[in-house]
Amino acid sequence: MPNMKQQHTLKPLLKTGDEVTAAWWPPSTPDISEVAPSGWYRGVISSYKTLHPTNNTSSNNCYGPVRFYSVNFDDGDVGSDIPEQFVFLQDEYEIMTMKDDDDDDEDIVWKGVRTVTDRHTDDPWAKHVGWYVATIDGEDHTFSLLSDALRAYDSFVVSTKGFKTKKEHLNLPGDWDKLFRDKGKGEKHKLEIEELEERHDKEMEKLRAKAEADQESAVRMAVVKEERKVREVQHKIKIEYKEQSKKEMEKLKRQYEQENVRRMEEETKAEKQKLKPRYQVGEEVYAAWWPDDKTKDEQPLWYPGRVKSYRDQRVGTKGVGEYGVVRLYKVVYTDDGTEQDNIPEHFVFPKEDYLLSTSNGVHHEWKGVRNVVDKASEDVWASLIGYYVAIIDGKEQSFPRLSEALQAYDASIVKRKGDKTKQSDLNIPDNWGWLLTPNAPAPPTVEELMEELHETRLKITEQEKMCVKSLEEKHDTEKELAVKVALAEERRRTQDMKRKLRKELTVFHENEMKRARQMFEGDKTNAIEMALLNARKEQELSLEKQRGDLEQHFNYEKDKAMQFVKLETRQQLKSEMQAEFNNLKNEIEKEIEQRLRTEYSLPPPPKRAKVSLSLIPRSAFGMSSPKPTEQKGKENMPEGDSLLTPQSEKSSAEDEAQI
């Protein structure tokens, strides 16, 4: 069994987005740890949770953190908190579930690879799944994945046996299809041999990396205690961040509540603003008039006229008041054509309201209608004139004009009493002469009145909806802007903090790795302990400022340190591979030479001491060049001697001449 520190690297830690095959249980399953899965299905990891062991003496602490995965299955289902021993990479699961070709009911017995589990641990992955050990060149090498172990063993077999490798020698022969295609094709196999060499080189590098993990365990043992403290600080940082997030959420909640109160106030203000009558240009009114030699503080005279123009002004120092802006009207009097400018709105009345008020007396009490003023308001119109409230169907409704309130009340009375309505029941009986006079023309039907009332209500409702929608859009816009500003500020602050922490972590780990290498170069234990003590003190001062993922950065620095060990073994591995390549090359050349001799029916080569190929021109010895033959289908071969003919078959005179 590998040592405790090595076991940290055995467990495969899957990432978000990995394609996996995971176990599935029905949603009604109460406890999946006690029930076997209903099936295994493909999916993609969407997220995961990591639980770090808290008890350092526990037997499962040596295998690292425990993970629970959330998987989005291909059929649309979602699995949450699936234990890590029930989640495998898709390729890994296919290899694990392969069956023997001779007997489909039996699992394959892998060559040179065995599964190792730890029955005495509390870690479910190590207890039920385990890791894999491949015996390569008489040495055991550990792997997290079965596929890596099988391919490493197959690579070793191919590098050892070369073209003599058979499919039954390998675990995954499908990965080596190129090796089994036309092994005797000389030059065509050179590229394939190079690819195989490159592949073998990669596999051997993986083996060296596994071996280097043992060599660097000394360095990692010095840092493991510091990692534990880093995790504690990370936990502390997470708690602080959660508290800070909670405070920010409470702050946003308070802001939302304040915004909601402000919106309610705006809606109430909008309702009040609709109570003040607004006179348009050309509308008939009764307005106050003062002679040129009198001020507007004195009692005015009242004359009919029409609105010529108007302008709005602020109310004190608060801008728009709760009842809206204050208007000043310019009125043209219809009796003599004179004009009066800057008449306050409380000195201007609708013509119909003025005539109703003056014809019945100032203190006349209307039936079902009362005047409401707001003495506490800064708006002069609201404190002196006010609006009107009519009781219609038992409910109070507000109206900006007296005539509208009286007509609405009279209409509700007529609707309720019908033909039994009396003149004394109405405020303006003249509007209902057709109902009160016996011989009057036929009055409009109840359906017509109801339709007219319904249309009026629809108009009023539409206006109210438009006003409410405008206020809601304004409120939503302001709320969204406030939330965006708050989130942008929080995001900017978080990014600044992360950048600062990354920079500090980078500097810290660079210094720490340099210090660790310097410490382990020496042989004195006291010097190492003093250096670790100094590093620990410096780290404790810097950990308070660290935020971020230290594990990923540490792995990066670890890989960086491992390169130093790789350089030492690379040259030796290269020499071994070159020797193997030369052997393969010699075998291929021999096979090519044998095929050439077979194809051209050449005799077997004589002994090297008596065989040589001559490139001396025949004319140098007074010999004529041979004539080509008349054969078809092949290249013309010269009659008699040829440059490929062994010299032992030529005449003794030629042998002596060549010598």
Side-chain angles (χ1 to χ4, degrees), residues 192-224:
E192 297 178 359
I193 292 174
E194 292 177 357
E195 292 178 2
L196 293 175
E197 289 177 350
E198 183 179 358
R199 184 171 180 177
H200 176 66
D201 186 45
K202 292 181 180 178
E203 294 296 335
M204 293 303 293
E205 284 184 0
K206 290 183 180 179
L207 294 178
R208 295 294 184 271
K210 294 294 181 181
E212 290 164 1
D214 298 338
Q215 297 178 5
E216 67 172 359
S217 60
V219 178
R220 296 177 58 189
M221 287 296 294
V223 185
V224 64

PDB file of all heavy atoms in Angstrom, residues 192-224:
ATOM      1  N   GLU A 192       5.042   5.271 -38.508  1.00  0.00           N
ATOM      2  CA  GLU A 192       4.295   4.636 -37.421  1.00  0.00           C
ATOM      3  C   GLU A 192       5.197   4.347 -36.235  1.00  0.00           C
ATOM      4  O   GLU A 192       4.783   4.492 -35.079  1.00  0.00           O
ATOM      5  CB  GLU A 192       3.659   3.342 -37.926  1.00  0.00           C
ATOM      6  CG  GLU A 192       2.636   3.549 -39.029  1.00  0.00           C
ATOM      7  CD  GLU A 192       2.062   2.249 -39.542  1.00  0.00           C
ATOM      8  OE1 GLU A 192       2.479   1.192 -39.034  1.00  0.00           O
ATOM      9  OE2 GLU A 192       1.212   2.299 -40.429  1.00  0.00           O
ATOM     10  N   ILE A 193       6.430   3.922 -36.537  1.00  0.00           N
ATOM     11  CA  ILE A 193       7.372   3.656 -35.447  1.00  0.00           C
ATOM     12  C   ILE A 193       7.649   4.939 -34.672  1.00  0.00           C
ATOM     13  O   ILE A 193       7.718   4.947 -33.434  1.00  0.00           O
ATOM     14  CB  ILE A 193       8.674   3.055 -36.017  1.00  0.00           C
ATOM     15  CG1 ILE A 193       8.391   1.660 -36.570  1.00  0.00           C
ATOM     16  CG2 ILE A 193       9.747   2.995 -34.937  1.00  0.00           C
ATOM     17  CD1 ILE A 193       9.575   1.038 -37.288  1.00  0.00           C
ATOM     18  N   GLU A 194       7.795   6.044 -35.425  1.00  0.00           N
ATOM     19  CA  GLU A 194       8.018   7.321 -34.739  1.00  0.00           C
ATOM     20  C   GLU A 194       6.835   7.685 -33.861  1.00  0.00           C
ATOM     21  O   GLU A 194       7.003   8.179 -32.738  1.00  0.00           O
ATOM     22  CB  GLU A 194       8.276   8.414 -35.771  1.00  0.00           C
ATOM     23  CG  GLU A 194       9.587   8.238 -36.515  1.00  0.00           C
ATOM     24  CD  GLU A 194       9.773   9.300 -37.579  1.00  0.00           C
ATOM     25  OE1 GLU A 194       8.840  10.121 -37.762  1.00  0.00           O
ATOM     26  OE2 GLU A 194      10.840   9.316 -38.224  1.00  0.00           O
ATOM     27  N   GLU A 195       5.617   7.459 -34.370  1.00  0.00           N
ATOM     28  CA  GLU A 195       4.430   7.737 -33.554  1.00  0.00           C
ATOM     29  C   GLU A 195       4.400   6.846 -32.319  1.00  0.00           C
ATOM     30  O   GLU A 195       4.063   7.301 -31.219  1.00  0.00           O
ATOM     31  CB  GLU A 195       3.169   7.523 -34.384  1.00  0.00           C
ATOM     32  CG  GLU A 195       2.992   8.526 -35.500  1.00  0.00           C
ATOM     33  CD  GLU A 195       1.753   8.242 -36.332  1.00  0.00           C
ATOM     34  OE1 GLU A 195       1.029   7.279 -35.994  1.00  0.00           O
ATOM     35  OE2 GLU A 195       1.522   8.978 -37.294  1.00  0.00           O
ATOM     36  N   LEU A 196       4.736   5.555 -32.520  1.00  0.00           N
ATOM     37  CA  LEU A 196       4.771   4.649 -31.373  1.00  0.00           C
ATOM     38  C   LEU A 196       5.830   5.068 -30.366  1.00  0.00           C
ATOM     39  O   LEU A 196       5.627   4.988 -29.152  1.00  0.00           O
ATOM     40  CB  LEU A 196       5.024   3.215 -31.853  1.00  0.00           C
ATOM     41  CG  LEU A 196       3.910   2.568 -32.677  1.00  0.00           C
ATOM     42  CD1 LEU A 196       4.348   1.205 -33.171  1.00  0.00           C
ATOM     43  CD2 LEU A 196       2.631   2.460 -31.856  1.00  0.00           C
ATOM     44  N   GLU A 197       6.975   5.497 -30.891  1.00  0.00           N
ATOM     45  CA  GLU A 197       8.021   5.964 -29.977  1.00  0.00           C
ATOM     46  C   GLU A 197       7.562   7.184 -29.190  1.00  0.00           C
ATOM     47  O   GLU A 197       7.791   7.284 -27.979  1.00  0.00           O
ATOM     48  CB  GLU A 197       9.273   6.306 -30.776  1.00  0.00           C
ATOM     49  CG  GLU A 197       9.999   5.103 -31.331  1.00  0.00           C
ATOM     50  CD  GLU A 197      11.192   5.514 -32.180  1.00  0.00           C
ATOM     51  OE1 GLU A 197      11.312   6.726 -32.475  1.00  0.00           O
ATOM     52  OE2 GLU A 197      11.980   4.645 -32.531  1.00  0.00           O
ATOM     53  N   GLU A 198       6.918   8.095 -29.898  1.00  0.00           N
ATOM     54  CA  GLU A 198       6.409   9.284 -29.201  1.00  0.00           C
ATOM     55  C   GLU A 198       5.364   8.916 -28.153  1.00  0.00           C
ATOM     56  O   GLU A 198       5.371   9.433 -27.033  1.00  0.00           O
ATOM     57  CB  GLU A 198       5.812  10.251 -30.220  1.00  0.00           C
ATOM     58  CG  GLU A 198       5.320  11.554 -29.593  1.00  0.00           C
ATOM     59  CD  GLU A 198       4.759  12.504 -30.639  1.00  0.00           C
ATOM     60  OE1 GLU A 198       4.800  12.143 -31.844  1.00  0.00           O
ATOM     61  OE2 GLU A 198       4.277  13.577 -30.245  1.00  0.00           O
ATOM     62  N   ARG A 199       4.491   7.990 -28.533  1.00  0.00           N
ATOM     63  CA  ARG A 199       3.468   7.550 -27.582  1.00  0.00           C
ATOM     64  C   ARG A 199       4.089   6.834 -26.391  1.00  0.00           C
ATOM     65  O   ARG A 199       3.704   7.035 -25.240  1.00  0.00           O
ATOM     66  CB  ARG A 199       2.488   6.629 -28.305  1.00  0.00           C
ATOM     67  CG  ARG A 199       1.319   6.193 -27.440  1.00  0.00           C
ATOM     68  CD  ARG A 199       0.314   5.485 -28.298  1.00  0.00           C
ATOM     69  NE  ARG A 199      -0.824   5.048 -27.514  1.00  0.00           N
ATOM     70  CZ  ARG A 199      -1.884   4.446 -28.012  1.00  0.00           C
ATOM     71  NH1 ARG A 199      -1.934   4.223 -29.310  1.00  0.00           N
ATOM     72  NH2 ARG A 199      -2.875   4.070 -27.247  1.00  0.00           N
ATOM     73  N   HIS A 200       5.080   5.962 -26.708  1.00  0.00           N
ATOM     74  CA  HIS A 200       5.767   5.275 -25.621  1.00  0.00           C
ATOM     75  C   HIS A 200       6.493   6.267 -24.719  1.00  0.00           C
ATOM     76  O   HIS A 200       6.531   6.107 -23.487  1.00  0.00           O
ATOM     77  CB  HIS A 200       6.752   4.272 -26.216  1.00  0.00           C
ATOM     78  CG  HIS A 200       7.589   3.573 -25.183  1.00  0.00           C
ATOM     79  ND1 HIS A 200       7.050   2.716 -24.260  1.00  0.00           N
ATOM     80  CD2 HIS A 200       8.921   3.628 -24.936  1.00  0.00           C
ATOM     81  CE1 HIS A 200       8.012   2.261 -23.476  1.00  0.00           C
ATOM     82  NE2 HIS A 200       9.156   2.799 -23.868  1.00  0.00           N
ATOM     83  N   ASP A 201       7.073   7.304 -25.357  1.00  0.00           N
ATOM     84  CA  ASP A 201       7.755   8.333 -24.569  1.00  0.00           C
ATOM     85  C   ASP A 201       6.795   9.009 -23.603  1.00  0.00           C
ATOM     86  O   ASP A 201       7.127   9.259 -22.442  1.00  0.00           O
ATOM     87  CB  ASP A 201       8.375   9.354 -25.527  1.00  0.00           C
ATOM     88  CG  ASP A 201       9.212  10.371 -24.779  1.00  0.00           C
ATOM     89  OD1 ASP A 201       9.997   9.982 -23.894  1.00  0.00           O
ATOM     90  OD2 ASP A 201       9.075  11.563 -25.070  1.00  0.00           O
ATOM     91  N   LYS A 202       5.566   9.302 -24.097  1.00  0.00           N
ATOM     92  CA  LYS A 202       4.569   9.931 -23.216  1.00  0.00           C
ATOM     93  C   LYS A 202       4.183   9.010 -22.067  1.00  0.00           C
ATOM     94  O   LYS A 202       4.045   9.436 -20.921  1.00  0.00           O
ATOM     95  CB  LYS A 202       3.334  10.308 -24.021  1.00  0.00           C
ATOM     96  CG  LYS A 202       3.573  11.421 -25.023  1.00  0.00           C
ATOM     97  CD  LYS A 202       2.302  11.761 -25.773  1.00  0.00           C
ATOM     98  CE  LYS A 202       2.533  12.880 -26.779  1.00  0.00           C
ATOM     99  NZ  LYS A 202       1.296  13.195 -27.551  1.00  0.00           N
ATOM    100  N   GLU A 203       3.993   7.704 -22.398  1.00  0.00           N
ATOM    101  CA  GLU A 203       3.627   6.770 -21.339  1.00  0.00           C
ATOM    102  C   GLU A 203       4.745   6.644 -20.317  1.00  0.00           C
ATOM    103  O   GLU A 203       4.498   6.575 -19.107  1.00  0.00           O
ATOM    104  CB  GLU A 203       3.305   5.397 -21.951  1.00  0.00           C
ATOM    105  CG  GLU A 203       2.070   5.384 -22.837  1.00  0.00           C
ATOM    106  CD  GLU A 203       0.810   5.692 -22.044  1.00  0.00           C
ATOM    107  OE1 GLU A 203       0.805   5.445 -20.826  1.00  0.00           O
ATOM    108  OE2 GLU A 203      -0.155   6.171 -22.653  1.00  0.00           O
ATOM    109  N   MET A 204       5.981   6.600 -20.800  1.00  0.00           N
ATOM    110  CA  MET A 204       7.103   6.513 -19.865  1.00  0.00           C
ATOM    111  C   MET A 204       7.232   7.773 -19.030  1.00  0.00           C
ATOM    112  O   MET A 204       7.611   7.729 -17.861  1.00  0.00           O
ATOM    113  CB  MET A 204       8.404   6.263 -20.654  1.00  0.00           C
ATOM    114  CG  MET A 204       8.457   4.903 -21.345  1.00  0.00           C
ATOM    115  SD  MET A 204       8.244   3.523 -20.188  1.00  0.00           S
ATOM    116  CE  MET A 204       9.754   3.678 -19.233  1.00  0.00           C
ATOM    117  N   GLU A 205       6.903   8.920 -19.632  1.00  0.00           N
ATOM    118  CA  GLU A 205       6.914  10.153 -18.849  1.00  0.00           C
ATOM    119  C   GLU A 205       5.881  10.112 -17.735  1.00  0.00           C
ATOM    120  O   GLU A 205       6.112  10.602 -16.628  1.00  0.00           O
ATOM    121  CB  GLU A 205       6.656  11.345 -19.772  1.00  0.00           C
ATOM    122  CG  GLU A 205       7.852  11.723 -20.617  1.00  0.00           C
ATOM    123  CD  GLU A 205       7.585  12.970 -21.443  1.00  0.00           C
ATOM    124  OE1 GLU A 205       6.464  13.500 -21.330  1.00  0.00           O
ATOM    125  OE2 GLU A 205       8.478  13.386 -22.183  1.00  0.00           O
ATOM    126  N   LYS A 206       4.715   9.502 -18.044  1.00  0.00           N
ATOM    127  CA  LYS A 206       3.721   9.349 -16.986  1.00  0.00           C
ATOM    128  C   LYS A 206       4.260   8.482 -15.851  1.00  0.00           C
ATOM    129  O   LYS A 206       4.051   8.759 -14.674  1.00  0.00           O
ATOM    130  CB  LYS A 206       2.445   8.735 -17.555  1.00  0.00           C
ATOM    131  CG  LYS A 206       1.664   9.662 -18.466  1.00  0.00           C
ATOM    132  CD  LYS A 206       0.382   9.005 -18.931  1.00  0.00           C
ATOM    133  CE  LYS A 206      -0.406   9.937 -19.835  1.00  0.00           C
ATOM    134  NZ  LYS A 206      -1.653   9.296 -20.321  1.00  0.00           N
ATOM    135  N   LEU A 207       4.963   7.374 -16.237  1.00  0.00           N
ATOM    136  CA  LEU A 207       5.554   6.514 -15.209  1.00  0.00           C
ATOM    137  C   LEU A 207       6.599   7.268 -14.397  1.00  0.00           C
ATOM    138  O   LEU A 207       6.670   7.140 -13.173  1.00  0.00           O
ATOM    139  CB  LEU A 207       6.182   5.281 -15.868  1.00  0.00           C
ATOM    140  CG  LEU A 207       5.207   4.308 -16.543  1.00  0.00           C
ATOM    141  CD1 LEU A 207       5.979   3.186 -17.187  1.00  0.00           C
ATOM    142  CD2 LEU A 207       4.215   3.766 -15.530  1.00  0.00           C
ATOM    143  N   ARG A 208       7.414   8.046 -15.114  1.00  0.00           N
ATOM    144  CA  ARG A 208       8.419   8.827 -14.384  1.00  0.00           C
ATOM    145  C   ARG A 208       7.749   9.843 -13.461  1.00  0.00           C
ATOM    146  O   ARG A 208       8.225  10.099 -12.361  1.00  0.00           O
ATOM    147  CB  ARG A 208       9.324   9.558 -15.385  1.00  0.00           C
ATOM    148  CG  ARG A 208      10.166   8.638 -16.262  1.00  0.00           C
ATOM    149  CD  ARG A 208      11.193   7.872 -15.434  1.00  0.00           C
ATOM    150  NE  ARG A 208      12.063   7.071 -16.291  1.00  0.00           N
ATOM    151  CZ  ARG A 208      11.806   5.833 -16.657  1.00  0.00           C
ATOM    152  NH1 ARG A 208      10.678   5.245 -16.252  1.00  0.00           N
ATOM    153  NH2 ARG A 208      12.650   5.167 -17.422  1.00  0.00           N
ATOM    154  N   ALA A 209       6.626  10.408 -13.944  1.00  0.00           N
ATOM    155  CA  ALA A 209       5.922  11.377 -13.096  1.00  0.00           C
ATOM    156  C   ALA A 209       5.408  10.711 -11.822  1.00  0.00           C
ATOM    157  O   ALA A 209       5.472  11.291 -10.731  1.00  0.00           O
ATOM    158  CB  ALA A 209       4.764  12.003 -13.867  1.00  0.00           C
ATOM    159  N   LYS A 210       4.905   9.456 -11.961  1.00  0.00           N
ATOM    160  CA  LYS A 210       4.458   8.737 -10.774  1.00  0.00           C
ATOM    161  C   LYS A 210       5.621   8.458  -9.840  1.00  0.00           C
ATOM    162  O   LYS A 210       5.507   8.543  -8.615  1.00  0.00           O
ATOM    163  CB  LYS A 210       3.790   7.427 -11.185  1.00  0.00           C
ATOM    164  CG  LYS A 210       2.491   7.613 -11.949  1.00  0.00           C
ATOM    165  CD  LYS A 210       1.441   8.221 -11.070  1.00  0.00           C
ATOM    166  CE  LYS A 210       0.134   8.375 -11.836  1.00  0.00           C
ATOM    167  NZ  LYS A 210      -0.918   8.984 -11.014  1.00  0.00           N
ATOM    168  N   ALA A 211       6.782   8.096 -10.439  1.00  0.00           N
ATOM    169  CA  ALA A 211       7.951   7.841  -9.604  1.00  0.00           C
ATOM    170  C   ALA A 211       8.456   9.118  -8.953  1.00  0.00           C
ATOM    171  O   ALA A 211       8.921   9.120  -7.808  1.00  0.00           O
ATOM    172  CB  ALA A 211       9.058   7.204 -10.443  1.00  0.00           C
ATOM    173  N   GLU A 212       8.354  10.230  -9.683  1.00  0.00           N
ATOM    174  CA  GLU A 212       8.817  11.495  -9.133  1.00  0.00           C
ATOM    175  C   GLU A 212       7.942  11.962  -7.982  1.00  0.00           C
ATOM    176  O   GLU A 212       8.387  12.715  -7.113  1.00  0.00           O
ATOM    177  CB  GLU A 212       8.836  12.554 -10.238  1.00  0.00           C
ATOM    178  CG  GLU A 212       9.930  12.316 -11.264  1.00  0.00           C
ATOM    179  CD  GLU A 212       9.712  13.110 -12.541  1.00  0.00           C
ATOM    180  OE1 GLU A 212       8.722  13.851 -12.593  1.00  0.00           O
ATOM    181  OE2 GLU A 212      10.528  12.958 -13.468  1.00  0.00           O
ATOM    182  N   ALA A 213       6.673  11.501  -7.983  1.00  0.00           N
ATOM    183  CA  ALA A 213       5.803  11.858  -6.863  1.00  0.00           C
ATOM    184  C   ALA A 213       6.366  11.335  -5.548  1.00  0.00           C
ATOM    185  O   ALA A 213       6.255  11.979  -4.500  1.00  0.00           O
ATOM    186  CB  ALA A 213       4.399  11.304  -7.094  1.00  0.00           C
ATOM    187  N   ASP A 214       7.000  10.124  -5.620  1.00  0.00           N
ATOM    188  CA  ASP A 214       7.635   9.593  -4.416  1.00  0.00           C
ATOM    189  C   ASP A 214       8.852  10.424  -4.025  1.00  0.00           C
ATOM    190  O   ASP A 214       9.125  10.635  -2.834  1.00  0.00           O
ATOM    191  CB  ASP A 214       8.045   8.140  -4.653  1.00  0.00           C
ATOM    192  CG  ASP A 214       6.839   7.271  -4.945  1.00  0.00           C
ATOM    193  OD1 ASP A 214       5.723   7.679  -4.560  1.00  0.00           O
ATOM    194  OD2 ASP A 214       7.012   6.201  -5.563  1.00  0.00           O
ATOM    195  N   GLN A 215       9.592  10.886  -5.039  1.00  0.00           N
ATOM    196  CA  GLN A 215      10.804  11.644  -4.744  1.00  0.00           C
ATOM    197  C   GLN A 215      10.501  13.003  -4.130  1.00  0.00           C
ATOM    198  O   GLN A 215      11.269  13.533  -3.347  1.00  0.00           O
ATOM    199  CB  GLN A 215      11.620  11.825  -6.029  1.00  0.00           C
ATOM    200  CG  GLN A 215      12.111  10.521  -6.636  1.00  0.00           C
ATOM    201  CD  GLN A 215      12.865  10.745  -7.935  1.00  0.00           C
ATOM    202  OE1 GLN A 215      13.091  11.879  -8.335  1.00  0.00           O
ATOM    203  NE2 GLN A 215      13.244   9.641  -8.582  1.00  0.00           N
ATOM    204  N   GLU A 216       9.384  13.588  -4.525  1.00  0.00           N
ATOM    205  CA  GLU A 216       9.080  14.918  -3.993  1.00  0.00           C
ATOM    206  C   GLU A 216       8.257  14.867  -2.708  1.00  0.00           C
ATOM    207  O   GLU A 216       7.846  15.890  -2.187  1.00  0.00           O
ATOM    208  CB  GLU A 216       8.290  15.708  -5.027  1.00  0.00           C
ATOM    209  CG  GLU A 216       6.919  15.161  -5.290  1.00  0.00           C
ATOM    210  CD  GLU A 216       6.107  16.089  -6.165  1.00  0.00           C
ATOM    211  OE1 GLU A 216       6.628  17.145  -6.527  1.00  0.00           O
ATOM    212  OE2 GLU A 216       4.975  15.749  -6.456  1.00  0.00           O
ATOM    213  N   SER A 217       8.002  13.666  -2.187  1.00  0.00           N
ATOM    214  CA  SER A 217       7.205  13.555  -0.965  1.00  0.00           C
ATOM    215  C   SER A 217       7.863  14.277   0.200  1.00  0.00           C
ATOM    216  O   SER A 217       7.192  14.779   1.106  1.00  0.00           O
ATOM    217  CB  SER A 217       6.987  12.080  -0.623  1.00  0.00           C
ATOM    218  OG  SER A 217       8.238  11.438  -0.417  1.00  0.00           O
ATOM    219  N   ALA A 218       9.219  14.330   0.195  1.00  0.00           N
ATOM    220  CA  ALA A 218       9.906  15.022   1.282  1.00  0.00           C
ATOM    221  C   ALA A 218       9.551  16.500   1.303  1.00  0.00           C
ATOM    222  O   ALA A 218       9.294  17.090   2.356  1.00  0.00           O
ATOM    223  CB  ALA A 218      11.414  14.832   1.132  1.00  0.00           C
ATOM    224  N   VAL A 219       9.526  17.091   0.094  1.00  0.00           N
ATOM    225  CA  VAL A 219       9.164  18.510   0.029  1.00  0.00           C
ATOM    226  C   VAL A 219       7.718  18.719   0.438  1.00  0.00           C
ATOM    227  O   VAL A 219       7.378  19.657   1.161  1.00  0.00           O
ATOM    228  CB  VAL A 219       9.401  19.043  -1.402  1.00  0.00           C
ATOM    229  CG1 VAL A 219       8.981  20.498  -1.516  1.00  0.00           C
ATOM    230  CG2 VAL A 219      10.875  18.887  -1.763  1.00  0.00           C
ATOM    231  N   ARG A 220       6.853  17.842   0.000  1.00  0.00           N
ATOM    232  CA  ARG A 220       5.433  18.008   0.305  1.00  0.00           C
ATOM    233  C   ARG A 220       5.144  17.807   1.781  1.00  0.00           C
ATOM    234  O   ARG A 220       4.249  18.420   2.334  1.00  0.00           O
ATOM    235  CB  ARG A 220       4.623  17.031  -0.536  1.00  0.00           C
ATOM    236  CG  ARG A 220       4.726  17.299  -2.036  1.00  0.00           C
ATOM    237  CD  ARG A 220       3.974  16.276  -2.837  1.00  0.00           C
ATOM    238  NE  ARG A 220       2.581  16.250  -2.463  1.00  0.00           N
ATOM    239  CZ  ARG A 220       1.708  15.334  -2.884  1.00  0.00           C
ATOM    240  NH1 ARG A 220       2.139  14.380  -3.683  1.00  0.00           N
ATOM    241  NH2 ARG A 220       0.457  15.380  -2.505  1.00  0.00           N
ATOM    242  N   MET A 221       5.896  16.917   2.436  1.00  0.00           N
ATOM    243  CA  MET A 221       5.702  16.723   3.872  1.00  0.00           C
ATOM    244  C   MET A 221       6.000  17.998   4.641  1.00  0.00           C
ATOM    245  O   MET A 221       5.383  18.276   5.666  1.00  0.00           O
ATOM    246  CB  MET A 221       6.602  15.585   4.360  1.00  0.00           C
ATOM    247  CG  MET A 221       6.132  14.204   3.931  1.00  0.00           C
ATOM    248  SD  MET A 221       4.520  13.774   4.635  1.00  0.00           S
ATOM    249  CE  MET A 221       4.977  13.682   6.361  1.00  0.00           C
ATOM    250  N   ALA A 222       6.953  18.798   4.120  1.00  0.00           N
ATOM    251  CA  ALA A 222       7.283  20.044   4.811  1.00  0.00           C
ATOM    252  C   ALA A 222       6.195  21.084   4.663  1.00  0.00           C
ATOM    253  O   ALA A 222       6.054  21.983   5.488  1.00  0.00           O
ATOM    254  CB  ALA A 222       8.598  20.601   4.263  1.00  0.00           C
ATOM    255  N   VAL A 223       5.405  20.950   3.609  1.00  0.00           N
ATOM    256  CA  VAL A 223       4.386  21.963   3.331  1.00  0.00           C
ATOM    257  C   VAL A 223       2.997  21.536   3.783  1.00  0.00           C
ATOM    258  O   VAL A 223       2.085  22.347   3.884  1.00  0.00           O
ATOM    259  CB  VAL A 223       4.373  22.266   1.808  1.00  0.00           C
ATOM    260  CG1 VAL A 223       3.431  23.405   1.484  1.00  0.00           C
ATOM    261  CG2 VAL A 223       5.777  22.619   1.345  1.00  0.00           C
ATOM    262  N   VAL A 224       2.811  20.236   4.082  1.00  0.00           N
ATOM    263  CA  VAL A 224       1.471  19.743   4.378  1.00  0.00           C
ATOM    264  C   VAL A 224       0.885  20.408   5.617  1.00  0.00           C
ATOM    265  O   VAL A 224      -0.305  20.719   5.682  1.00  0.00           O
ATOM    266  CB  VAL A 224       1.503  18.205   4.533  1.00  0.00           C
ATOM    267  CG1 VAL A 224       2.349  17.785   5.731  1.00  0.00           C
ATOM    268  CG2 VAL A 224       0.088  17.662   4.681  1.00  0.00           C
TER     269      VAL A 224
END
